[in-house]
Amino acid sequence: MNDLSNHERAIELLQELGLKEYEAKAFVALTRLPQGTAKEISEISEVPRTRVYDAVRVLETKGLVEIQHASPQRFRAVSIDEAAETLRREYEERADSLRTTLREVEPAIPTEETEVTHEVWALSGASGITSRTQQLVDESDREVILVIGDESAYTPELRERLRAAEDRGVSVVIGITEESLRERVERDLPDAKVFVSGLEWLSSSVETGDETVIGRLLLVDRNTILVSSFHEAVGDGHDHEQAVFGRGFDNGLVAIVRRLMSTGLLSNVDP
Amino acid sequence: MNDLSNHERAIELLQELGLKEYEAKAFVALTRLPQGTAKEISEISEVPRTRVYDAVRVLETKGLVEIQHASPQRFRAVSIDEAAETLRREYEERADSLRTTLREVEPAIPTEETEVTHEVWALSGASGITSRTQQLVDESDREVILVIGDESAYTPELRERLRAAEDRGVSVVIGITEESLRERVERDLPDAKVFVSGLEWLSSSVETGDETVIGRLLLVDRNTILVSSFHEAVGDGHDHEQAVFGRGFDNGLVAIVRRLMSTGLLSNVDP
DNA sequence: TCTTATTGTGATTATCCGAGTGAACGGCTG
DNA sequence: CAGCCGTTCACTCGGATAATCACAATAAGA
């Protein structure tokens, strides 16, 4: 059963990597055989025999399969590593093209300049959130307060940005929910104030029974905040991080967090 | 005109990277603006206003766009590098998963063992051909004859494999059509016989007027051959390399090349 | 050599997904 | 209060792809 899922999983992955259903199925079938005829492939892959030919021909042009022209034709998959590498490189090249192409599209003149005193943005995906976090730290002027709810958020890059901020004279305050991280952070950032207590309200929200876990919480210059959370999605529950960040002293969201911080948290470090 | 193509090219690339048309168009529109409303996006991207919302929401979950919840909503694209990196990593992960997943699918028992005295396989794509070339060189036992018609085929990896073959006592003969490569090869492989003449029949096939150019030609142990060619496809003519390789002394293809080699080529080096 | 099973190609139909369009809801503004 | 804008939702249409079929080409066997 679990191994049956392996086939299916592989087929899904191949489709996500751009192959059609028949192509994916045929390829997986071929990886299970040293070589195979259309009939054999059809039998173990459930691809209609008459369609195997088309599928395999496409696979051949993609460099994933070799064809022996004989009667009957025989097909053979390239090695797993070679296939993975071929597909990976294909997308790598596309991503590079995209990068250079996008740089060349000329900007459109904004119809109108909207001044933004306060704003709240939503974003998702750990990587985007990480990058925005670092960016905000870089922008910091006087103070950075960062609560790390999930260890994965504390990356080496972030550490460097925090150090740089300290060097600029920015006051850095780090809150931690797991004692295990404390040592590392204190060693990394000797000038920073690090605390663990006062964060009970972060992790446990038993009363409401919600499954949301705070990943990071950043307050920059009492002016800009970023909050991220892991939402335990139903069923396929795993790591999708979502965040909002807000700017502007008068921003409602920022105000709330500022208050929250000053009562529960700042009392510990900024009397 | 050229810059118009830039938008279109970028949209195409994004679609190849898995985005839907509307998503791709909306994203490109957003990269042209510091930020934008649904209306603005619709105007410069030709995406129906009412569908901008769906598209952008998907982009947000992919970490490519940030959303400002206000009225009207405002959207902002992440930086070009961040977007490219995000997409690249997504596929990198898929390729890795594929690798490990494929390793775990159990082989199917071949219905029947077919003995293969001679076989001819077709394959395409420079990378696959390169790898098969190296593999054949690695298998060589006594003799390797390699004609390099296109400089790109002579990779550092190939050089190493050829060296290794020499060290095994294999006789290595290299044919070159471009004088420019000669020095490099002679320096790289002091023990190999390198020649340039006698290959006129390779490059020019004027009489038939065909556009095919030979990329590489490999003969291993007088037993296995590989021939690759660049087929100048109509219109979008560029570099798609196609190859066949054949095994078995009695293989017709191998026999032909063997004769060809002994008349036109081997007379120079193997009297 | 004729028969028959198997292999391969092409055409045809069915199904699904995404593009495109418009109705409807709610809030905001004049 | 009425009209406008922003937003969501439901629906149609078309193209791509999955699935089936009919038939030609080839090989195997009697």
Side-chain angles (χ1 to χ4, degrees), chain A residues 75-262:
Chain A
F75 312 105
R76 169 202 291 177
V78 303
S79 78
I80 291 172
D81 284 326
E82 207 174 316
E85 181 59 19
T86 300
L87 291 168
R88 195 192 59 77
R89 193 159 27 73
E90 180 181 348
Y91 284 97
E92 187 124 3
E93 283 163 12
R94 284 180 189 165
D96 280 346
S97 303
L98 180 68
R99 207 185 298 251
T100 59
T101 307
L102 276 183
R103 281 193 218 289
E104 286 169 14
V105 303
E106 93 269 19
I109 29 111
T111 333
E112 183 182 348
E113 204 54 46
T114 323
E115 64 165 323
V116 201
T117 55
H118 65 288
E119 38 177 352
V120 180
W121 296 85
L123 60 160
S124 57
S127 94
I129 295 171
T130 298
S131 116
R132 172 78 47 203
T133 302
Q134 293 172 1
Q135 191 178 322
L136 293 179
V137 170
D138 285 345
E139 287 175 21
S140 66
D141 213 25
R142 300 183 336 246
E143 180 190 60
V144 167
I145 302 178
L146 173 65
V147 176
I148 300 168
D150 189 80
E151 192 156 0
S152 66
Y154 185 66
T155 64
E157 291 80 25
L158 179 57
R159 186 193 59 204
E160 291 312 315
R161 313 281 178 126
L162 289 169
R163 274 193 187 146
E166 281 186 340
D167 293 346
R168 282 201 307 278
V170 173
S171 137
V172 174
V173 180
I174 311 280
I176 309 222
T177 56
E178 310 165 44
E179 184 68 43
S180 60
L181 243 182
R182 181 178 196 149
E183 290 175 36
R184 251 179 74 204
V185 175
E186 284 182 336
R187 182 161 26 85
D188 289 346
L189 305 164
D191 290 343
K193 299 166 193 148
V194 182
F195 61 97
V196 178
S197 62
L199 296 169
E200 300 74 24
W201 52 274
L202 252 188
S203 33
S204 60
S205 28
V206 263
E207 70 281 359
T208 64
D210 78 39
E211 305 268 343
T212 309
V213 171
I214 298 294
R216 9 193 166 191
L217 202 162
L218 178 68
L219 178 59
V220 175
D221 296 340
R222 313 255 164 145
N223 190 299
T224 302
I225 67 138
L226 181 148
V227 186
S228 87
S229 58
F230 295 94
H231 228 75
E232 199 65 20
V234 279
D236 184 24
H238 66 297
D239 50 284
H240 192 70
E241 190 173 9
Q242 294 189 303
V244 295
F245 86 90
R247 255 202 184 87
F249 192 83
D250 56 342
N251 186 305
L253 182 55
V254 176
I256 287 174
V257 175
R258 204 163 43 225
R259 280 196 71 168
L260 228 133
M261 295 290 221
S262 10

Side-chain angles (χ1 to χ4, degrees), chain B residues 36 76 99 129 181 204 236:
Chain B
R76 170 202 289 178
R99 210 184 296 251
I129 296 172
L181 244 182
S204 60
D236 184 23

